[in-house]
Amino acid sequence: WNGSTWSLDSSASLSTSGSQANVLTGVSCASASFCVAAGSSSNGNLLLTWNGSAWSLDSSASLSTSLTQRNYLAGVSCVSPSFCVAAGAYDNGATYQNLLLTWNGSTWSLDSSASLSTSGSQANVLTGVSCASASFCVAAGYYDNSAGKEQNLLLTWNGSAWSLDPSASLSTSGSQDNLLNGVTCASQSFCVAAGTYNNGIVDQTLVLTYNVPPPPTPIGYRFVSSDGGIFSFNAPFFGSMGGKRLNAPVVGMASTPNGGGYWFVASDGGIFSFGNAKFYGSMGSRRLNAPIVGMAADPATGGYWFVASDGGIFSFNAPFYGSMGGKRLNAPIVGMASIPDGKGYWFVASDGGIFGFGNAKFFGSMGGKRLNKPIVGMAAG
């Protein structure tokens, strides 16, 4: 689809073999230049990747539990080019069991939680998956209970591990089939799973809704000083670098998307993580053309960006949307902010000039206007 018409993709014939079955059962796009299509071939899992101009057969397509038993993918969900989850099932020689593959931006890996199920001796199958962020996904499907009836199955990802959702037993009847065929999550507090149940005569539509109040939005704030000391006001304290030796002064900080931790960054690009803030990399001990002056967290991936005074951007588990590195600036950059969905960012110069990248819209600036004092920071509204 190009915005007005559908066309038959020339890559439609891309497969593992023209003489064996190749089937796609799900697709997800994080952007117009990154998509993943998932399914199965006669040899196992099948994954195709779109780079904005062409589809390619992913080398990870052969990733499976066994080449002598069937492995297939039923659905996939991508929140960014650096985080996707594909879900399906594999045959353990006796019955089907859950299968989960995770993409980290460079490779697919077989998730250790793939064996998570209600019973290893009965069927457990995942039919769909949806991720609202890199720290919240739901996989849906069904399992066979002791009576041999299919029952709803839900697995939840919290950013580090999958868990069997207690709602897995939610069904209309334990003596009749209940199964989920797909799920979609708009946020970590609202998902809908759809499928079917048997009323004893015929199959009927089945819809489950996950709707919990979102976690309280922090209404406090924190300060960080150049020595790494933290000052918290109506906001949790997770640790600091106060009283410890630093190679360079701290120049900025950012909170994790769920408020359970924070990072701060030094002018040499060193990063310090506290609470649930994960370390994805830094520029510490590397040569920089200009000092780091600020950072922002990516609410979609849970990663972060640094910006240097010359407008150079450094991305860690976060998409790169552009920078001003190597371009002439009227004044140095002093801060940056991400747009709410993480699909773009702005940064601001000391003269009030604004630079937007990705989906970050330009709403105005103070560039070229007289200021009593220089600009020193910014925040998204």
Side-chain angles (χ1 to χ4, degrees):
W1 174 256
N2 63 4
S4 58
T5 59
W6 288 94
S7 60
L8 191 63
D9 199 290
S10 59
S11 305
S13 61
L14 188 65
S15 64
T16 57
S17 170
S19 61
Q20 295 177 324
N22 290 263
V23 176
L24 296 175
T25 50
V27 64
S28 179
C29 295
S31 70
S33 59
F34 182 81
C35 300
V36 174
S40 62
S41 71
S42 296
N43 296 323
N45 301 327
L46 179 63
L47 290 164
L48 305 184
T49 304
W50 170 257
N51 65 3
S53 58
W55 289 94
S56 61
L57 190 65
D58 199 289
S59 58
S60 305
S62 60
L63 186 66
S64 62
T65 58
S66 169
L67 291 177
T68 60
Q69 304 286 354
R70 190 177 180 217
N71 291 255
Y72 70 90
L73 299 172
V76 62
S77 180
C78 297
V79 296
S80 75
S82 59
F83 186 80
C84 301
V85 174
Y90 73 96
D91 190 337
N92 65 2
T95 186
Y96 280 110
Q97 297 290 287
N98 301 328
L99 178 64
L100 290 164
L101 306 183
T102 304
W103 170 256
N104 65 2
S106 58
T107 60
W108 289 93
S109 60
L110 192 64
D111 200 289
S112 58
S113 306
S115 60
L116 187 65
S117 62
T118 58
S119 170
S121 61
Q122 295 173 324
N124 290 260
V125 173
L126 296 175
T127 55
V129 62
S130 180
C131 296
S133 70
S135 59
F136 184 80
C137 301
V138 174
Y142 63 89
Y143 72 95
D144 284 349
N145 64 11
S146 57
K149 296 297 182 180
E150 295 170 343
Q151 298 289 285
N152 301 327
L153 177 65
L154 290 164
L155 306 183
T156 304
W157 169 257
N158 65 2
S160 58
W162 290 91
S163 61
L164 193 64
D165 199 287
S167 304
S169 61
L170 186 65
S171 64
T172 59
S173 169
S175 61
Q176 302 288 349
D177 287 335
N178 291 255
L179 64 126
L180 299 172
N181 290 318
V183 61
T184 185
C185 294
S187 70
Q188 69 179 54
S189 60
F190 185 78
C191 300
V192 176
T196 183
Y197 74 96
N198 191 280
N199 64 5
I201 301 173
V202 68
D203 288 339
Q204 299 286 295
T205 57
L206 176 66
V207 172
L208 305 184
T209 303
Y210 177 78
N211 188 6
V212 299
T217 301
I219 57 173
Y221 45 83
R222 305 179 186 95
F223 307 154
V224 63
S225 58
S226 62
D227 67 351
I230 283 284
F231 304 91
S232 299
F233 299 88
N234 197 40
F237 173 80
F238 296 111
S240 79
M241 294 300 292
K244 300 177 184 179
R245 182 181 177 277
L246 299 177
N247 294 327
V250 172
V251 293
M253 73 177 298
S255 175
T256 60
N258 66 2
Y262 44 76
W263 302 272
F264 35 83
V265 65
S267 62
D268 65 352
I271 192 81
F272 305 92
S273 305
F274 299 92
N276 68 357
K278 295 182 180 179
F279 174 81
Y280 292 109
S282 78
M283 294 302 294
S285 75
R286 301 182 189 180
R287 182 183 178 278
L288 299 174
N289 293 328
I292 302 299
V293 294
M295 73 175 297
D298 183 348
T301 66
Y304 44 81
W305 300 279
F306 305 157
V307 64
S309 61
D310 66 351
I313 281 283
F314 304 91
S315 302
F316 299 90
N317 195 42
F320 174 78
Y321 294 111
S323 79
M324 293 301 292
K327 301 177 183 178
R328 182 183 177 277
L329 299 175
N330 293 327
I333 300 299
V334 294
M336 72 175 297
S338 169
I339 64 175
D341 65 2
K343 296 187 183 300
Y345 44 73
W346 302 272
F347 33 85
V348 65
S350 62
D351 65 351
I354 196 82
F355 305 90
F357 299 89
N359 290 344
K361 295 181 180 179
F362 177 79
F363 296 106
S365 79
M366 294 301 293
K369 300 178 183 179
R370 182 181 179 279
L371 300 174
N372 292 329
K373 296 290 182 178
I375 302 297
V376 295
M378 72 173 299

